[in-house]
Amino acid sequence: MSAENAIWASLPVPAFLIDAGDRIVDVNSAAEGFLNLSRKAVLGQPVWDQLAIDAPIEPAFERARAQGTPLFVNDIDVGSGNRAPLQCAIQIAPLIGSPGVMMMLLSPRELAGRMTQSHSVKSAAQSAIGMAEMLAHEIKNPLAGITGAAQLLSMNLAAEDLELTDLIVAESRRIVKLLEQVEQFGNLSVPDFKPVNIHDVLDRARRSALLGFGAHMKIIEDYDPSLPLAYGDPDQLLQVVLNLLKNASEAAPGGGTIRLHTYFEHSFRLRRNDGSGHSLPLQVEVIDDGPGLPEEIRADIFDPFVSGRENGTGLGLALVSKIISDHDGWIAVDSVPGRTVFRLSLPRVPKQSGEKESN
Ligand SMILES: Nc1ncnc2c1ncn2[C@@H]1O[C@H](COP(=O)(O)OP(=O)(O)OP(=O)(O)O)[C@@H](O)[C@H]1O
Ligand SMILES: [Mg+2]
């Protein structure tokens, strides 16, 4: 492989070469992953048919081509086929030596956000959770005493005062429930890694959701039957999917549709700050058609105690995020009213030693 070809193939962001007629001349493997299409399938195709860009950049693109200058566009939504749009930065530059041909690089913002997310989850959230766990333990005993005392009091009260003791009992119960959820974090052990059929996990979650909190929802399975086994802890992954289904169901009290979508994206890799990286090719999406994330909290939903619901404890997604990060996986969210996608990216079962990793 020539150095040029190697550079092209190694570019970690989707890259496109576009000819003077706006047709795709070449794509790198990250672009194949982004489009979810093979290079062969897109060569010669009009580029603006393959990429849905939610802003009129074509005139600026034409100008850049005419003047032979680069063009940078930040924070623009780029979609393709049936995938949810991702916020990207776009860099376009004329290809030296090939008049009219432009090179375009997409840098999904999400990828940058990803790095910091798993770090903050492991550090900041962790200490908040440690503190909360300790408090949970300390508060539960006196609270049981308060509840008991209120119940004793209520025996001698007139009807109009009963309301007050009932309030004490009900609120105490709510706090106990919250504390129990906090304690779940403490009980979370390191994942017991084994080969997991993700579709079995999704089926279990789906059935249990339909019997309980999700009885008012329609849950559609949209599985890639050739998906290889994931490497993880089936019980913890079940907890993750249940939490996502629960949130989607609670966001749509009047009913709605949830799609469980799995697919393989072999080019998906997580790169860490220290330069190490590993492949997370299994993608699991939980997609709902509800109202979307509340604007005020959308940047913080993975933090503990952030909730947009009146009775929410805000621990569901913090737990999800902790489990996924313990799996060395990734979670990303994309949400607009009518379409909210939580995407889990998970590792596959490690290959036998001796076998070479492709990609
Ligand atoms: N699919 C979704 N659609 C709309 N909003 C969502 C969705 N998933 C999460 N959210 C928002 O994110 C918030 C945080 O979710 P999280 O699961 O962490 O906490 P919670 O559901 O409020 O409480 P808990 O899960 O502890 O009972 C929710 O309160 C809700 O506002
Ligand atoms: Mg929740």
Side-chain angles (χ1 to χ4, degrees):
M1 196 186 269
S2 73
E4 285 85 355
N5 285 345
I7 292 171
W8 182 247
S10 322
L11 271 178
V13 296
F16 301 78
L17 287 185
I18 302 161
D19 71 10
D22 283 349
R23 287 176 191 277
I24 297 176
V25 190
D26 205 352
V27 292
N28 69 348
S29 63
E32 288 180 296
F34 184 85
L35 296 170
N36 218 348
L37 287 171
S38 71
R39 180 169 173 274
K40 251 194 171 141
V42 296
L43 290 192
Q45 297 292 319
V47 64
W48 308 123
D49 286 359
Q50 299 298 325
L51 291 178
I53 296 186
D54 86 332
I57 74 153
E58 288 166 54
F61 183 73
E62 271 322 309
R63 223 174 310 127
R65 172 147 51 209
Q67 299 170 353
T69 52
L71 168 68
F72 298 90
V73 188
N74 278 326
D75 297 341
I76 191 167
D77 281 337
V78 182
S80 75
N82 63 354
R83 81 139 63 200
L86 290 179
Q87 207 176 47
C88 294
I90 303 186
Q91 287 123 12
I92 294 169
L95 191 69
I96 292 174
S98 307
V101 177
M102 304 293 277
M103 178 168 72
M104 176 165 74
L105 304 180
L106 300 180
S107 322
R109 273 250 314 244
E110 208 190 333
L111 290 177
R114 285 170 176 232
M115 301 303 145
T116 49
Q117 187 196 330
S118 70
H119 276 273
S120 61
V121 167
K122 279 203 166 122
S123 48
Q126 213 76 303
S127 59
I129 290 163
M131 180 79 179
E133 247 178 81
M134 203 180 72
L135 279 175
H137 191 77
E138 292 302 315
I139 295 172
K140 267 170 85 177
N141 283 332
L143 203 58
I146 294 172
T147 315
Q151 277 165 335
L152 280 178
L153 262 181
S154 69
M155 291 179 188
N156 301 316
L157 288 184
E160 68 264 27
D161 289 334
L162 270 180
E163 216 178 287
L164 295 176
T165 50
D166 284 352
L167 182 83
I168 296 175
V169 173
E171 289 297 289
S172 305
R173 290 229 170 93
R174 203 168 67 85
I175 300 173
V176 169
K177 234 179 85 192
L178 164 68
L179 298 179
E180 279 167 355
Q181 265 169 297
V182 169
E183 283 176 332
Q184 270 200 339
F185 276 94
N187 298 337
L188 202 62
S189 46
V190 290
D192 179 11
F193 282 100
K194 49 180 87 157
V196 189
N197 181 338
I198 279 293
H199 296 149
D200 288 347
V201 172
L202 293 175
D203 282 338
R204 270 164 71 195
R206 177 173 170 274
R207 266 181 283 132
S208 115
L210 288 174
L211 288 173
F213 58 80
H216 60 296
M217 304 296 285
K218 190 168 169 213
I219 305 180
I220 300 174
E221 298 158 298
D222 178 5
Y223 298 164
D224 171 359
S226 63
L227 202 71
L229 295 176
Y231 197 53
D233 183 323
D235 293 328
Q236 292 193 2
L237 293 174
L238 177 69
Q239 220 176 341
V240 164
V241 179
L242 279 173
N243 269 312
L244 296 178
L245 289 177
K246 190 152 172 279
N247 282 345
S249 308
E250 283 165 346
T257 304
I258 301 173
R259 191 155 71 95
L260 296 173
H261 180 210
T262 63
Y263 61 101
F264 192 79
E265 190 175 313
H266 85 111
S267 62
F268 195 108
R269 299 181 72 82
L270 182 67
R271 272 166 236 265
R272 297 210 188 80
N273 290 346
D274 62 8
S276 68
H278 62 284
S279 166
L280 298 175
L282 277 75
Q283 317 297 325
V284 180
E285 292 182 335
V286 177
I287 307 168
D288 72 67
D289 58 0
L293 296 173
E295 199 57 50
E296 328 78 71
I297 59 166
R298 70 172 42 216
D300 308 314
I301 49 166
F302 292 106
D303 289 344
F305 309 115
V306 171
S307 173
R309 297 187 298 113
E310 192 157 342
N311 288 316
T313 56
L315 284 172
L317 288 176
L319 191 71
V320 163
S321 169
K322 163 98 171 59
I323 293 175
I324 295 300
S325 115
D326 285 352
H327 276 75
D328 273 335
W330 195 259
I331 180 159
V333 61
D334 242 315
S335 177
V336 290
R339 184 177 159 94
T340 297
V341 184
F342 280 87
R343 186 174 73 234
L344 310 173
S345 305
L346 295 170
R348 64 187 294 182
V349 178
K351 299 220 168 95
Q352 303 296 318
S353 56
E355 228 179 295
K356 277 245 296 281
E357 199 190 344
S358 69
N359 184 35

Short mmCIF file of all heavy atoms in Angstrom, two decimals, residues 243 246-247 250 309 315-317, ligand 2:
data_model
loop_
_atom_site.label_atom_id
_atom_site.label_comp_id
_atom_site.label_asym_id
_atom_site.label_seq_id
_atom_site.Cartn_x
_atom_site.Cartn_y
_atom_site.Cartn_z
N ASN A 243 -33.64 0.07 31.56
CA ASN A 243 -33.67 1.48 31.92
C ASN A 243 -34.01 2.35 30.72
O ASN A 243 -34.76 3.32 30.84
CB ASN A 243 -32.33 1.91 32.51
CG ASN A 243 -32.31 1.76 34.02
OD1 ASN A 243 -33.23 2.18 34.69
ND2 ASN A 243 -31.29 1.13 34.54
N LYS A 246 -37.61 1.92 29.91
CA LYS A 246 -38.43 2.56 30.92
C LYS A 246 -38.51 4.06 30.66
O LYS A 246 -39.59 4.65 30.69
CB LYS A 246 -37.83 2.27 32.30
CG LYS A 246 -38.67 2.67 33.46
CD LYS A 246 -38.36 1.76 34.66
CE LYS A 246 -39.06 2.26 35.91
NZ LYS A 246 -38.33 3.35 36.57
N ASN A 247 -37.37 4.65 30.37
CA ASN A 247 -37.37 6.09 30.08
C ASN A 247 -38.24 6.41 28.87
O ASN A 247 -39.00 7.37 28.89
CB ASN A 247 -35.95 6.58 29.83
CG ASN A 247 -35.17 6.75 31.11
OD1 ASN A 247 -35.75 6.78 32.19
ND2 ASN A 247 -33.86 6.85 30.99
N GLU A 250 -41.81 6.12 29.84
CA GLU A 250 -42.27 7.19 30.72
C GLU A 250 -42.38 8.52 29.98
O GLU A 250 -43.17 9.38 30.36
CB GLU A 250 -41.31 7.32 31.92
CG GLU A 250 -41.53 6.22 32.94
CD GLU A 250 -40.38 6.08 33.95
OE1 GLU A 250 -39.30 6.66 33.72
OE2 GLU A 250 -40.58 5.39 34.94
N ARG A 309 -38.34 14.50 35.09
CA ARG A 309 -39.67 14.03 35.48
C ARG A 309 -39.93 14.38 36.93
O ARG A 309 -39.02 14.39 37.76
CB ARG A 309 -39.79 12.52 35.30
CG ARG A 309 -39.65 12.09 33.86
CD ARG A 309 -39.95 10.63 33.69
NE ARG A 309 -39.02 9.78 34.43
CZ ARG A 309 -39.36 9.05 35.47
NH1 ARG A 309 -40.60 9.02 35.89
NH2 ARG A 309 -38.45 8.32 36.09
N LEU A 315 -31.43 8.60 38.35
CA LEU A 315 -30.33 7.65 38.51
C LEU A 315 -30.27 6.62 37.38
O LEU A 315 -29.27 5.96 37.19
CB LEU A 315 -30.45 6.93 39.86
CG LEU A 315 -30.02 7.80 41.03
CD1 LEU A 315 -30.32 7.12 42.35
CD2 LEU A 315 -28.54 8.12 40.93
N GLY A 316 -31.36 6.52 36.63
CA GLY A 316 -31.43 5.50 35.58
C GLY A 316 -30.27 5.60 34.60
O GLY A 316 -29.54 4.63 34.39
N LEU A 317 -30.11 6.76 34.01
CA LEU A 317 -29.08 6.90 32.97
C LEU A 317 -27.67 6.94 33.57
O LEU A 317 -26.71 6.57 32.91
CB LEU A 317 -29.34 8.14 32.12
CG LEU A 317 -30.53 8.02 31.17
CD1 LEU A 317 -30.77 9.33 30.43
CD2 LEU A 317 -30.32 6.89 30.18
MG MG B 2 -35.12 6.56 34.16
#
